[in-house]
Amino acid sequence: MVKPLQNTGFSFRWPATGWLIWLTGSYLGLKLITLGLVLITLGTAGLNYLTTGDWQTSWHTPLVGWTMLTVVIWLYWNYRIKGKKPTSDTRIDTDVLKYFSFHGRHIFWRALNLATQNHATYLGSHHLLAALHSNLGYRLTLARLELEEVDVVNAVANDGDIFYDVLTSALALGVAEHSRISWEDLLRGIIKHSPGLSQLLAKDKISVAEALSVVEWSKRNWYYRPAAVRSGLMYELLSPKRNINKAWSARPTPVLDRFSQNLTELARIGTLASARVRQQEADEAVRILSRGEQNSAILIGEPGVGKTSVVGDIALKILDNQIPSLKDYKLVALNVGAMLGAQVSFEKLFSQATREAAGAGNVILFIGNIGQLTKAKTSEGFDLSGILLSALEESGLQMIATASPKDYKKYVEDKEELKRFFTAVHIDELDEARALLVLEDKSRSIEGRHGVLVTLSAIKAAITNSVKFIHDSRLPDKAVDLLDEAGVEAARQGAKRVQASHVEAVMSSRTNVPVGALTASEKDKLKNLAAAIQEKFIGQDEAVTGVVDALKRARLGVAKGNRPIGTFLFLGPTGVGKTELAKRLAENYFGNEADMIRLDMSEYQTRESAYRIFGAPAVSGDVALGGGVLTEAVRKTPFAVVLLDEVEKAHPDILNVFLQVLDEGRMTDNLGNTIDFTNTIIIATSNAQARFIQDAVRSQMAYDVMRDKLIEMLIAESFPPEFINRFDGVLVFKPLTPAELAEVAKIKIKGLVEHIKREKNITLHVTDDAVAKLAELGYDPAFGARPLERVIRERIETNLANQILANDNLDEVTITSKDLSDE
Amino acid sequence: MINIFLTPLQELTQFLYWWVIFVPRRLFGWVYDSILAMDEVLVLGETFRLWIAIEPLFGDYGWQGRIIGFLFRFFRVLISLGIYFGILIVGLFCTVVWLVWPVLAILLILQIW
């Protein structure tokens, strides 16, 4: 006899170690004996019959009696070990094991074995977890949560005695689900009550509720088998030939059968999944369909929100006879494409199909995107909406339709005669919590197609990233697409699991925005960014530091995420490098100088010019054209520098347009799309108060004092205070000194030398005294470095052009200060 | 000590409960589920109602449709009833066989029968 553990009350008639082996072995043995006896009996009786020809004596043997008895014993044993389903009266006592499934009892006894082997005095949750080791569902759950088994067992080892809490939870789950307690109930009990496991999950930002849903998800996926919808028998079942209703009362519908798909049949063979998260909308649609009059429903929602899943759910409910008034009905999806491709006139087919659907008496017709249908006219000039209307009016057709809000307003709601037949059901975009459930269901097909396992972090990343970066479609569709692509990416890399990094890689390649953790190359780039910019950008160290620091804060996640990476106002005289810094930033961090979106604000001096920024609104009756210059540019390149040049020249109302962008990183265009600016750096430049800056520099005023005075002056004269306040940094660009201009000249000459070598294969040498001369000629405190470019063009490039004309075989040119003089 | 007598008695009671009550109840449950599953296809109630109301077949509301509908549905009702009755008889047979099964087994072993 083994002493019971303190917290279980169980004792054993045999040594605990042997109990499980004996039980499993003897059950298996009994099965084999029963099977063997049955086969031997059949064989013996058959042989006797063949020998004697008398079936009565063949069967009338003691062997048959023993076989019959063994079968009874085996069936009884099955009944005893199967366990009972717990009820609300079930209490935890020494008989609680009979409410476990056989598999659950296996786990429990294995845990007891482990506890007694380790000389434990109580049964801990870590013993239960260790006993779950061989369970596929448990391992699947850990894989989806990306947890290692040893970490999980260690985390719960210090929990203390939570056995009764776990058992109480497991029992409550069994009662609630009316099932015997099994592995998932024990695991869910541990997740709920283990503080150690909660802490481990919290490290990976997984809540207890999410972990519990993953257990449920793993349990569902375990039993997943894709429906086989292929040609042959299944295809024959799908094709509308057998569309007679059970009571033989509905009229035949030959044309409709040919140009439609029976959704109720699809539901029957299992290709339509229940829209678990859309039950409210499905119930609302069912209530409408069950009415006596005005019993057609129209589902209104943006593309991708799941309108068709609601239709599928209705088909399932009809199939399961959950709608008494629609018993023996069928939901049929009209195949408009097939009709258009038929030899017969589309108008005739459409008219016939709708009449048949109306006259059959048991058909609900589904037409998707009804807006497109009602606006179309046939080649003969017939209005399809008119045909539909007459079917609804005269024949009592019952329909479900789907439409986007725009199409509904334009093609149904504004047509009173059509609108009165439909009752609208609004299908809104799913929130992230419900989208997670949809993705868990969709993950089954993704896993099957790509041979990978989808993790919880991948699903969460797909939802978060699709919400953040994809604005032209809706949840759950956009997250499903992203997850599917991540599955392809993971399979391509040979990975067994789809993780958040695969989703982020796909998102990065789509939007060119760096998503996810910093790579080693990105870390180096950020570390050396200031130096890289200063290779080609001279002076203005405070401005360079300010901008680079903002980038570092944003990329490392230190800054809040719901505004642009950085917003800066560059102030200074003309030609000091304000625009040049923006270009260098675009080149060094964003990868390409062309990834700079530049708006010359002097073109926006009227109020109406705001429409060029976010798009003109639709004139009544027309469709609005695509968004504005800025919104379209940011939509296509969300990761870029946005440069608002000479911002002081813009109309004050235009500045108000940017308030929301600077504060919250978003702007709504004329089509109602929200454009995300949170991956842009916004730089506004201004020459306002340039004279003050020059005087301040000359009088050697401290930088901070100069900047503060400048801001006061700008608020008083040029910009509203709320506009200035929204910038992360107001950076003053000082006039260039002659020494700095000389450095600028060197950089420009270097660029010219590389250009000439590349284009003309000519080596250009410019002596140091020539560079100094250029700097002297190109220096003008009022115009900054701009004259230098003109001087280089006139003195060097012209000189070079003349030399190339004079000498065809020119391969080397040297420019000295003498070549630059006016004589 | 009491356990030596009580435990076998409990086991015997449990066996008898399973043999006489639990399994026959399950068998009748299968019969009931089978009849319901067949009714999904045969829809006896609806067919009977339409037969009494002399509703036509496939929406043909002429006199031919009504006569053919009446005749077709009559035979359908008969066949459906026959199928359900057959399922019931099979269920009853299985239950009787089950109840006598252990007894038969013992009689065969002892060669009394």
Side-chain angles (χ1 to χ4, degrees):
Chain A
M1 185 89 83
V2 176
K3 265 179 79 170
L5 296 174
Q6 271 173 18
N7 62 343
T8 65
F10 291 100
S11 57
F12 307 95
R13 297 185 64 189
W14 289 271
T17 323
W19 168 249
L20 196 60
I21 300 168
W22 181 86
L23 185 74
T24 317
S26 57
Y27 178 65
L28 202 62
L30 184 62
K31 254 206 258 195
L32 288 170
I33 289 168
T34 310
L35 187 66
L37 272 175
V38 167
L39 289 171
I40 291 167
T41 306
L42 287 171
T44 316
L47 271 170
N48 281 344
Y49 176 69
L50 287 170
T51 320
T52 62
D54 181 5
W55 68 268
Q56 205 166 351
T57 50
S58 308
W59 288 100
H60 210 261
T61 59
L63 183 62
V64 171
W66 282 113
T67 307
M68 288 167 72
L69 202 61
T70 316
V71 166
V72 171
I73 294 169
W74 175 59
L75 287 172
Y76 180 60
W77 195 316
N78 251 338
Y79 161 75
R80 288 302 302 275
I81 64 172
K82 214 165 151 187
K84 285 181 168 187
K85 289 182 187 173
T87 62
S88 49
D89 298 327
T90 306
R91 295 288 168 261
I92 296 174
D93 51 30
T94 51
D95 279 342
V96 72
L97 278 186
K98 70 175 176 250
Y99 299 104
F100 278 59
S101 64
F102 188 46
H103 183 60
R105 262 177 274 170
H106 257 255
I107 294 165
F108 198 89
W109 280 316
R110 212 176 289 133
L112 282 173
N113 274 345
L114 286 166
T116 47
Q117 275 167 16
N118 293 332
H119 307 291
T121 52
Y122 65 87
L123 182 64
S125 45
H126 55 293
H127 298 125
L128 284 170
L129 284 177
L132 279 167
H133 168 74
S134 59
N135 181 279
L136 175 63
Y138 168 64
R139 293 207 306 277
L140 200 59
T141 304
L142 291 190
R144 292 200 194 284
L145 291 170
E146 294 175 276
L147 293 173
E148 293 300 326
E149 208 178 324
V150 64
D151 293 336
V152 172
V153 173
N154 288 339
V156 303
N158 298 323
D159 276 345
D161 186 2
I162 59 167
F163 168 71
Y164 271 102
D165 293 332
V166 170
L167 205 53
T168 311
S169 268
L171 189 62
L173 284 163
V175 171
E177 293 169 9
H178 197 56
S179 66
R180 295 169 187 88
I181 300 169
S182 189
W183 69 270
E184 66 270 14
D185 300 316
L186 291 170
L187 183 57
R188 281 190 281 188
I190 294 170
I191 291 171
K192 269 169 117 169
H193 293 287
S194 166
L197 189 52
S198 299
Q199 275 174 18
L200 183 67
L201 291 167
K203 269 189 209 161
D204 288 337
K205 298 194 193 100
I206 300 171
S207 66
V208 166
E210 283 170 349
L212 290 171
S213 83
V214 170
V215 177
E216 185 60 39
W217 174 22
S218 299
K219 184 183 156 193
R220 280 200 314 274
N221 267 18
W222 204 358
Y223 303 121
Y224 172 67
R225 269 177 306 175
V229 184
R230 302 284 180 262
S231 58
L233 180 62
M234 285 295 117
Y235 183 75
E236 286 304 305
L237 283 172
L238 275 181
S239 70
K241 292 186 204 57
R242 43 167 277 174
N243 274 324
I244 302 168
N245 74 327
K246 294 173 197 171
W248 295 351
S249 57
R251 284 209 174 118
T253 55
V255 173
L256 182 65
D257 292 347
R258 204 172 140 214
F259 294 103
S260 66
Q261 195 173 41
N262 192 336
L263 295 181
T264 325
E265 273 299 304
L266 280 177
R268 196 176 64 76
I269 62 172
T271 53
L272 292 181
S274 171
R276 289 193 295 140
V277 299
R278 291 281 188 202
Q279 285 310 300
Q280 203 177 340
E281 291 90 341
D283 290 340
E284 199 181 331
V286 162
R287 276 197 296 276
I288 295 164
L289 293 170
S290 303
R291 296 201 293 229
E293 286 179 4
Q294 209 175 10
N295 55 5
S296 291
I298 183 162
L299 310 180
I300 302 167
E302 296 291 350
V305 296
K307 300 186 289 293
T308 315
S309 68
V310 175
V311 177
D313 203 58
I314 295 169
L316 280 163
K317 285 184 192 309
I318 292 173
L319 182 72
D320 291 339
N321 287 325
Q322 290 178 34
I323 314 167
S325 55
L326 299 180
K327 202 172 174 188
D328 212 9
Y329 269 62
K330 59 184 180 187
L331 180 55
V332 162
L334 195 67
N335 191 343
V336 175
M339 280 182 166
L340 286 167
Q343 301 290 329
V344 186
S345 131
F346 176 76
E347 183 264 333
K348 272 194 191 143
L349 284 176
F350 186 77
S351 177
Q352 180 66 18
T354 48
R355 267 207 308 276
E356 283 179 1
N362 74 328
V363 169
I364 300 173
L365 191 64
F366 167 55
I367 298 181
N369 285 329
I370 195 169
Q372 301 306 311
L373 197 70
T374 51
K375 81 174 176 184
K377 281 187 168 28
T378 65
S379 55
E380 293 94 353
F382 289 105
D383 184 3
L384 290 175
S385 64
I387 298 169
L388 196 63
L389 192 58
S390 75
L392 286 163
E393 252 173 359
E394 293 157 21
S395 316
L397 174 67
Q398 192 174 14
M399 273 183 67
I400 304 176
T402 61
S404 66
K406 224 176 290 175
D407 279 351
Y408 173 69
K409 177 145 181 54
K410 189 164 178 179
Y411 301 112
V412 179
E413 196 177 42
D414 288 348
K415 292 186 183 177
E416 203 53 49
E417 61 279 8
L418 195 58
K419 185 192 164 190
R420 64 192 174 92
F421 289 102
F422 288 101
T423 307
V425 178
H426 292 275
I427 314 286
D428 297 324
E429 187 177 7
L430 285 178
D431 55 36
E432 292 187 19
R434 290 193 297 166
L436 193 128
L437 295 176
V438 171
L439 259 73
E440 283 179 359
D441 287 341
K442 296 281 185 187
S443 68
R444 289 182 280 185
S445 58
I446 293 171
E447 287 172 351
R449 250 202 315 282
H450 306 304
V452 292
L453 184 78
V454 175
T455 60
L456 177 69
S457 65
I459 286 185
K460 284 162 76 171
I463 293 171
T464 316
N465 282 294
S466 63
V467 165
K468 191 170 159 63
F469 294 110
I470 305 174
H471 303 292
D472 53 5
S473 54
R474 303 282 177 266
L475 281 179
D477 248 25
K478 57 185 179 181
V480 171
D481 288 343
L482 186 55
L483 191 64
D484 205 355
E485 280 188 49
V488 173
E489 178 67 17
R492 202 183 55 79
Q493 290 177 14
K496 292 281 180 224
R497 300 183 204 179
V498 184
Q499 293 171 303
S501 56
H502 299 116
V503 174
E504 285 157 2
V506 169
M507 202 70 245
S508 291
S509 72
R510 263 205 215 175
T511 60
N512 222 23
V513 176
V515 179
L518 279 177
T519 59
S521 65
E522 226 188 321
K523 266 189 194 162
D524 285 335
K525 203 199 276 189
L526 269 176
K527 268 191 220 166
N528 303 319
L529 184 60
I533 290 174
Q534 281 162 341
E535 272 180 29
K536 289 188 185 175
F537 185 80
I538 303 302
Q540 317 299 357
D541 292 341
E542 296 91 351
V544 173
T545 310
V547 166
V548 169
D549 286 348
L551 259 175
K552 285 179 185 169
R553 284 195 300 270
R555 191 63 191 94
L556 291 165
V558 173
K560 273 170 64 173
N562 55 346
R563 47 191 317 278
I565 294 173
T567 54
F568 299 98
L569 178 60
F570 289 176
L571 301 169
T574 184
V576 296
K578 300 187 292 296
T579 307
E580 188 64 23
L581 177 54
K583 285 184 188 171
R584 294 287 73 77
L585 189 64
E587 183 190 19
N588 284 289
Y589 187 74
F590 292 83
N592 196 342
E593 197 179 302
D595 281 344
M596 188 171 79
I597 298 164
R598 186 175 180 166
L599 262 63
D600 189 347
M601 300 310 286
S602 61
E603 295 175 13
Y604 299 88
Q605 296 190 49
T606 60
R607 208 167 167 215
E608 291 71 31
S609 53
Y611 292 138
R612 289 175 55 205
I613 293 176
F614 51 74
V619 177
S620 170
D622 285 341
V623 177
L625 297 173
V629 166
L630 180 62
T631 51
E632 281 300 294
V634 173
R635 196 176 63 81
K636 284 173 188 154
T637 317
F639 187 54
V641 174
V642 174
L643 179 65
L644 310 173
D645 236 350
E646 299 188 64
V647 71
E648 78 280 3
K649 296 199 169 92
H651 191 276
D653 285 356
I654 304 283
L655 297 183
N656 288 338
V657 166
F658 285 97
L659 292 180
Q660 191 186 31
V661 175
L662 294 172
D663 219 10
E664 294 172 18
R666 55 186 176 89
M667 182 188 276
T668 306
D669 69 8
N670 64 328
L671 301 173
N673 300 318
T674 302
I675 307 301
D676 182 16
F677 280 74
T678 56
N679 292 294
T680 61
I681 290 186
I682 300 178
I683 296 174
T685 68
S686 173
N687 299 332
Q689 307 298 340
R691 179 60 55 91
F692 167 79
I693 296 170
Q694 285 166 341
D695 293 340
V697 167
R698 214 174 291 123
S699 66
Q700 296 183 335
M701 193 184 289
Y703 181 87
D704 293 339
V705 172
M706 172 177 56
R707 190 191 59 210
D708 293 344
K709 277 196 171 34
L710 190 53
I711 291 171
E712 281 171 23
M713 291 164 74
L714 287 172
I715 288 172
E717 292 172 31
S718 308
F719 300 117
E722 61 270 17
F723 181 72
I724 300 268
N725 258 343
R726 275 168 167 77
F727 285 101
D728 292 333
V730 176
L731 303 167
V732 182
F733 282 57
K734 296 172 285 194
L736 293 173
T737 62
E740 284 170 344
L741 197 69
E743 292 299 313
V744 173
K746 278 186 192 159
I747 290 170
K748 290 203 183 287
I749 296 296
K750 188 178 168 197
L752 180 64
V753 165
E754 284 165 5
H755 171 74
I756 295 298
K757 184 70 185 170
R758 200 172 48 241
E759 298 294 321
K760 294 288 175 195
N761 202 22
I762 295 171
T763 307
L764 174 66
H765 299 286
V766 180
T767 59
D768 289 343
D769 57 321
V771 173
K773 182 76 177 173
L774 278 170
E776 186 195 318
L777 290 169
Y779 179 71
D780 186 332
F783 296 108
R786 288 227 163 78
L788 179 65
E789 293 199 17
R790 196 176 56 247
V791 167
I792 290 174
R793 268 200 308 276
E794 287 170 1
R795 306 289 171 117
I796 298 187
E797 289 178 11
T798 309
N799 192 324
L800 191 58
N802 288 332
Q803 288 201 40
I804 292 171
L805 278 172
N807 185 354
D808 284 340
N809 297 319
L810 192 67
D811 55 8
E812 196 171 339
V813 171
T814 303
I815 306 280
T816 64
S817 58
K818 274 193 197 148
D819 298 315
L820 298 176
S821 62
D822 287 327
E823 296 96 37
Chain B
M1 185 68 178
I2 295 175
N3 264 343
I4 295 173
F5 300 103
L6 272 180
T7 305
L9 203 62
Q10 272 171 353
E11 289 292 335
L12 184 64
T13 318
Q14 201 144 17
F15 173 78
L16 286 170
Y17 167 80
W18 172 77
W19 175 32
V20 176
I21 295 171
F22 181 83
V23 173
R25 205 159 62 187
R26 284 291 285 266
L27 282 169
F28 275 112
W30 287 335
V31 166
Y32 179 71
D33 290 341
S34 302
I35 290 174
L36 278 182
M38 285 308 297
D39 198 56
E40 279 292 307
V41 179
L42 298 171
V43 285
L44 177 62
E46 185 67 14
T47 309
F48 184 76
R49 186 186 71 79
L50 293 170
W51 175 58
I52 292 290
I54 318 178
E55 280 290 305
L57 213 58
F58 304 131
D60 178 8
Y61 279 89
W63 59 268
Q64 306 99 311
R66 289 193 191 271
I67 290 172
I68 292 169
F70 185 83
L71 289 169
F72 266 69
R73 287 204 173 96
F74 170 68
F75 286 112
R76 192 176 174 186
V77 164
L78 274 184
I79 292 167
S80 302
L81 283 172
I83 291 171
Y84 296 167
F85 188 67
I87 294 171
L88 198 61
I89 294 299
V90 167
L92 274 171
F93 175 74
C94 290
T95 308
V96 169
V97 166
W98 171 254
L99 287 171
V100 302
W101 184 280
V103 175
L104 266 178
I106 292 167
L107 291 177
L108 276 169
I109 290 166
L110 298 175
Q111 287 287 281
I112 295 170
W113 176 62

